[in-house]
Amino acid sequence: MKTDKIKVHFTDNDLVAPTNPIEVNLIGAGGTGSKVLTALVEMNYSLNELGHAGLSVRLWDDDIVTDANLGRQRFAECEVGLYKSVALINRANRWMGTNWKAETMKFGKDSLGRLPEHTQAAIYISCVDSVKARYEIAEILKELDSYRAYRNRAKYWMDYGNSQSTGQVLLSTIGNIKQPKSEKYETVANLPFITDEYGELLKQSEETDNTPSCSLAEALEKQDLYINSSLAQMGCSLLWSLFRQGMTKNKGFFHNLYNFTTQPIKVA
């Protein structure tokens, strides 16, 4: 009896066995981004211990730490008034002796349509709170896909998004990733952007109130205390599997913290 092959995506070879640390652009240092950075610190140390070159992270965010950020986001009272990206990167570098970088600006084009310096990376992780920001990132990544000469060519985009108690993470390829021949699996070279695959859903779910929260209590009305950390851990577990297993059968998941369910999104 003939059975259909399981669809999988094999990780780009340059990520599995790199000669230099993999460049990562982490976009957003709020509720999710601050937790993702901690997970990347752990991942980098573990990869190094396994003989891998590890990660080189650049964190983008122009926000300042306020009292409303304490508790739900990974900031201390002594960091109020600092740029979020600077506070987090300084802490990570002191903790692990890394030389990661902070950008105190939004990730995006300037008024003349130019990309900022250090835009190029192999992996992009977005933890942004608006559909508009996602579309802007998608536009930039499609443009970067044509930059073939760089060693750390743009290859993957992982997007995080959530509402009060639900969220999703989706892994995309930036262009096609060359796949090996396989008798056991059906290989998939291209994983579509969230803006292409779920564009209409994104627009329908756009929050109408994007005003900043003035207190932790107000912030918790918009996002549950543990939805960000829950998504961060599971999303980084997917990224970890790309390095350790060299392949994935899932390109993301839908997560509901209210009823404790998670639905994987299969590679298709």
Side-chain angles (χ1 to χ4, degrees), residues 166-264:
T166 62
Q168 74 286 327
V169 175
L170 190 71
L171 177 71
S172 307
T173 59
I174 302 170
N176 293 329
I177 302 296
K178 186 177 179 180
Q179 298 289 287
K181 293 181 180 179
S182 175
E183 294 183 0
K184 183 177 180 180
Y185 300 109
E186 178 182 345
T187 60
V188 178
N190 184 276
L191 307 177
F193 283 6
I194 188 170
T195 49
D196 294 332
E197 190 170 15
Y198 297 104
E200 289 303 316
L201 186 62
L202 283 176
K203 292 173 183 176
Q204 292 173 12
S205 64
E206 175 79 282
E207 292 289 339
T208 55
D209 181 12
N210 290 318
T211 55
S213 302
C214 297
S215 67
L216 176 60
E218 187 177 337
L220 291 174
E221 289 297 318
K222 298 179 180 179
Q223 298 187 47
D224 190 69
L225 182 59
Y226 292 109
I227 184 62
N228 303 110
S229 54
S230 182
L231 286 170
Q233 291 294 309
M234 295 183 67
C236 284
S237 179
L238 173 58
L239 185 60
W240 173 249
S241 71
L242 289 180
F243 293 122
R244 294 295 293 139
Q245 299 173 18
M247 58 177 284
T248 181
K249 300 175 185 177
N250 302 305
K251 60 181 180 180
F253 57 88
F254 293 105
H255 184 55
N256 189 321
L257 195 59
Y258 180 76
N259 58 20
F260 302 104
T261 60
T262 301
Q263 178 64 44

Side-chain angles (χ1 to χ4, degrees), residues 70-88:
L70 307 183
R72 194 179 63 82
Q73 300 182 21
R74 194 143 290 172
F75 298 105
E77 190 171 356
C78 63
E79 293 170 325
V80 171
L82 299 177
Y83 278 105
K84 290 181 178 181
S85 57
V86 172
L88 291 170

